[in-house]
Structure formats: structure tokens, C-alpha cells
Amino acid sequence: MPRYRLTIEYDGGPFVGFQRQSNGPSVQQAIEEAIEAFSGESATLFGAGRTDTGVHAEGQVVHFDLEQDKSAREVMGALNYHLKPNPVAVLEADVADPEFHSRFDAIARHYRYRIINRRAPLTFDQGYAWQVAVPLDAKAMHDAAQRLVGYHDFTTFRSIHCQAQSPLKTLDRLDVMRHGNEISVTAEARSFLHHQVRSMVGTLKLVGEGKWSADDVQAALEAADRHALGFNAPPDGLYLTRVVYPPK
Amino acid sequence: MPRYRLTIEYDGGPFVGFQRQSNGPSVQQAIEEAIEAFSGESATLFGAGRTDTGVHAEGQVVHFDLEQDKSAREVMGALNYHLKPNPVAVLEADVADPEFHSRFDAIARHYRYRIINRRAPLTFDQGYAWQVAVPLDAKAMHDAAQRLVGYHDFTTFRSIHCQAQSPLKTLDRLDVMRHGNEISVTAEARSFLHHQVRSMVGTLKLVGEGKWSADDVQAALEAADRHALGFNAPPDGLYLTRVVYPPK
């Protein structure tokens, strides 16, 4: 009974999120249905990150088991065929160790948040970035972001629906970089609280437009109170870009 | 009677092309209707490049006249408001010299063609790039491309529907560069023949997969015969990125 590990990409726009929900189509359901279409088996898919409604992935990692013994190449081709027209693609497929677990074995998750800083509405990036018309100071955002890096109680940046056992997390990296009118926020941690990246980006936007200082960000963090939060950035700009596992 | 010059961006997917046609919606029509919606005037829009069905623009330049005297900022805001939900945005607006002509004054046009070189189908880039599954040698493509740079008879790379008076054109630049799995072809010239960029890219793809040599490309060019052509790349990957005018 081989276990398959896939690296997948998806446009989160048409989905209620990665995980199966009763209220609409999910990425998990789309892939499970594609598995069944080509193999006849009802496999359960496990993912490294439970991305929210409208959140995208460029490097989500998932795993599932099959009764049949298929090559990884065959699995990738068949899934990509049966996934159409869903905006979900299998980028890589491997036969994994039978003990491999996409979620529990992950040692880091990387997210990227895209802001397009311009007056004009978005065309190509509608749904794929957050358009902010007011000019943002990316350097000030980056400096303020450094106050959040490290081991902290991130309660301020946590959704009330968050199921994590503890609000204590180590944020390894939070970089803000401008390239032309695009501002990218890169966040890396072993794991994140629900809405943590979008909450941090929403708060940094206040810094970028000069409404908050780096000290305000630090005070909000130290308050460990959801009410001290700026606001959540919209899901459109968020991408799960990479999941890291220990070297074999 | 002020003349306005706009730099615009559009997703060519839903349009029959830049120019008005009887068989479907055009970018020109969308903008002319937006002008009428905010000003009440029936202006005629002139564009620097007549992009084809499905071809995109990141930096098309257009001009039109109004009876009323509006500020460029007001024109930009009103057009962007009335253009919704069309995937067309005004990036910049200026009051132009009354003699300015977007098409006849242009001294160079820059195009970019995006190839995504991977086995997996496209998700985010569906309609916005050409997916090529077979591995391409971008270095070989770039080297062959240099045979096309310069003053030549480009009949081989010309659509039978091309309305240009002469097939003689000077191609200033044709660069092929790989970044990860994305291959970008950058083409610059004073003007191009109809389908010229897509024809050149289609031919270079044959070089990338090893079917054609640089000598084959040169022989096809020298044949000055449409039947010597490889084939046209699809419109999805083509972007008009910039139009250049003489310094004032």
C-alpha cells in the first residue's frame, strides 16, 4: 500500500479552502475526486497547511495512500488529467516513506503575501493580490515587522476560531520587500496561528501608510489581545509557497 | 479641446483584440464607452498597437480628445471607475500635446512572451502564458534568436492578413531568458508585422526542443516565404509591455 507525496499548486479563489467543508467545494475534495476517478479508490488526502477560503498555494504538500501500486509519474499525469478544469495542479509526485506525514513531519511553512501598491484597479492580479492605493513605505513596514520575529505570544494576531493549543509560536522570518509597485511580505515559521499572516500584514499596512509606528506594533503584540489588532489583510494576496521537511 | 494620453493595462482574454470589430467586445469599445459614461462625449480612441484576440497589454498607449477640460487625474479616476468590471485599467493619464498621436509618434514597441516550461498544467497562468511540457533549451533559443535581429524581410514571420506596406523591418532586440521554469522572450522594434512576435516565438520553440537549429531559423528567414515558418505561438503568452516616444 504505497504512500504518495505531492507538491501542489492551486488558485484558492473558487474554493472554501483546502479542507473539506459542507458549504462548498474544497481543494481536498477536488483532489480526492481525481484520485477516485483514476484509481477507483476512496483515499483520504492530508495537507501540510489548511489554507483558508481564497488563499492560494504554490507549494502545498499533501499525502495519501493507494491500494494499487502506481508509479509517481503515472499518479501525477492521471491526477492532472482528472483535476481539470479545477485550477489545481500537481507539480511533483513521489512515492513517500510509509510513515511520512505531510502535516506532522513539516518543520517549516513559508508564506508570501502580495500587495500591489497603485491607484489603478487590478486587472491580471484581481483576486491574486491586495491592491492598496495609498503609497506605502515598505522600509518602515520591514523595520516594524522585525518586532514580531522571534518567540512570542501571538494572541493579538490569532483568529477567534483558531484551534491551536497554544498562542506561543516562533516566527523565524518576516521580510517586506518592494519591487516596483509590488510589495512582498515573506513569512516563515514552523507553524502559524489561524489568520496570523493576514493579521500581521494588515497591521504592517497601517505602518506603511504612517498610521502606526513600529512601537505601536510591538505594543499590540505585547498586549496579547485580539482587540489590539489592526485588521486582517484580505485572503487574495496570500500564498502558501513552501513546506519544509527534515533531510532524510 | 484637450487631448489625453493614457497608459493602459488589459487582460486580452475576453476581447476580440484592441480594435473595434463587429464580432465581439474590444478594448477600444470598452474604453470609448467608459469615456462616454463619464463625459457624455463620443470620443474616438487611438492606440499605439493593435493587439490581437487574447493578447494582453501592460503598457499600451492610447489617446483621445474631449470637448470638456478635465484634469488628467480626474480622467484616470473616472475611467477606472466606469471600466469596471472589464479587466482594463488606466495606469497613467496625462494631458498631451494637441499634436500627439499614440500610433504615428511611437518610435518603439516592446513585447514580452511568457512560456511556462513544465509538465503540470497551468493554474494561475492559464490564459496568461504558453505551457510547454517538453524541456526547452533557452540558451539555444536565445542564440538562434540573434539570427533574426537586424534589418530583414520578415515575410516568413508575417500573417497573410498583415496590412503593413512592406515586410522589411528592423528587429532591435530578441532576447530569450529563463528564470526557473519561466522562459521570457523580449522583442523590441519600431514596429512589427501582424503575428510577427508569435511566429518568431513558435519557431524558437522548435529550436528549444532541438527540432530546429539556428541555421534552420536563418534559412526560414532568408526564404522569405510563409510556408517556411515553424508555427505561431498562442496569443495567451503575449504582452505589449511598452511603447516608446521621442523625448520632448
Side-chain angles (χ1 to χ4, degrees), chain A residues 5-8 46-49 59-63 100 102 240 243 245:
Chain A
R5 166 183 163 166
L6 311 176
T7 302
I8 62 170
F46 297 88
Q60 166 81 290
V61 176
V62 300
H63 78 271
F100 171 78
S102 55
L240 173 58
V243 184
Y245 295 92

Side-chain angles (χ1 to χ4, degrees), chain B residues 202-214:
Chain B
T203 301
L204 292 177
K205 184 254 193 183
L206 296 176
V207 175
E209 59 185 329
K211 291 185 178 166
W212 277 37
S213 67

Side-chain angles (χ1 to χ4, degrees), chain A residues 114-125:
Chain A
R114 296 181 65 209
I115 297 171
I116 307 281
N117 193 198
R118 72 179 202 186
R119 276 179 62 210
L122 302 181
T123 57
F124 303 108
D125 292 315

Side-chain angles (χ1 to χ4, degrees), chain A residues 17-70:
Chain A
F18 176 79
Q19 205 160 27
R20 267 189 192 266
Q21 308 275 354
S22 55
N23 62 330
S26 61
V27 176
Q28 183 186 2
Q29 181 188 344
I31 298 178
E32 286 175 352
E33 287 176 359
I35 295 169
E36 183 152 12
F38 95 88
S39 70
E41 298 184 31
S42 317
T44 300
L45 193 79
F46 297 88
R50 299 187 198 164
T51 57
D52 258 344
T53 308
V55 173
H56 314 294
E58 292 177 337
Q60 166 81 290
V61 176
V62 300
H63 78 271
F64 66 97
D65 296 332
L66 280 186
E67 299 283 344
Q68 301 154 70
D69 208 347
K70 308 261 190 193

Side-chain angles (χ1 to χ4, degrees), chain B:
Chain B
M1 191 163 190
R3 177 158 293 187
Y4 297 92
R5 165 182 163 166
L6 311 176
T7 304
I8 62 171
E9 177 182 273
Y10 49 83
D11 173 356
F15 299 108
V16 295
F18 176 78
Q19 206 161 26
R20 267 188 191 267
Q21 308 275 353
S22 55
N23 62 332
S26 61
V27 177
Q28 183 185 1
Q29 182 187 344
I31 298 178
E32 286 175 351
E33 287 177 358
I35 294 169
E36 183 152 12
F38 95 88
S39 71
E41 299 184 31
S42 316
T44 300
L45 193 78
F46 297 88
R50 299 187 196 164
T51 57
D52 258 344
T53 307
V55 173
H56 313 294
E58 291 176 339
Q60 165 83 288
V61 176
V62 300
H63 78 271
F64 67 96
D65 296 332
L66 279 188
E67 300 283 345
Q68 303 154 68
D69 207 348
K70 308 261 189 193
S71 75
R73 191 179 170 89
E74 190 181 358
V75 166
M76 174 169 162
L79 286 180
N80 279 331
Y81 176 80
H82 287 286
L83 277 165
K84 287 180 190 173
N86 289 293
V88 180
V90 179
L91 304 179
E92 289 176 39
D94 292 293
V95 175
D97 187 282
E99 304 295 311
F100 172 77
H101 197 290
S102 55
R103 182 168 168 213
F104 300 128
D105 292 354
I107 55 171
R109 281 136 178 113
H110 297 189
Y111 282 90
R112 183 165 63 107
Y113 195 98
R114 297 181 64 208
I115 297 171
I116 307 280
N117 194 198
R118 71 179 204 187
R119 275 178 63 211
L122 302 182
T123 57
F124 302 108
D125 293 315
Q126 183 71 49
Y128 304 105
W130 181 22
Q131 183 224 346
V132 176
V134 53
L136 297 176
D137 179 343
K139 172 73 167 57
M141 293 168 73
H142 179 77
D143 292 345
Q146 303 324 302
R147 307 288 185 103
L148 300 176
V149 172
Y151 180 72
H152 300 291
D153 178 335
F154 281 99
T155 296
T156 303
F157 301 96
R158 177 185 199 178
S159 158
I160 52 166
H161 301 294
C162 183
Q163 293 170 5
Q165 293 190 325
S166 161
L168 294 164
K169 294 281 176 192
T170 300
L171 179 62
D172 296 316
R173 184 179 170 201
L174 190 62
D175 284 346
V176 182
M177 287 188 31
R178 176 185 280 277
H179 291 102
N181 64 15
E182 177 156 348
I183 294 173
S184 285
V185 183
T186 306
E188 299 179 10
R190 182 175 191 95
S191 62
F192 290 92
L193 299 170
H194 191 213
H195 283 178
Q196 186 181 344
V197 180
R198 289 169 53 195
S199 300
M200 295 190 300
V201 171
T203 301
L204 292 177
K205 184 254 193 183
L206 296 176
V207 175
E209 59 185 329
K211 291 185 178 166
W212 277 37
S213 67
D215 287 342
D216 293 333
V217 172
Q218 188 162 348
L221 172 70
E222 288 169 0
D225 176 358
R226 183 71 184 162
H227 298 98
L229 177 74
F231 63 98
N232 282 359
D236 313 46
L238 186 59
Y239 296 74
L240 172 57
T241 53
R242 191 170 168 226
V243 184
V244 183
Y245 296 91
K248 280 177 189 171

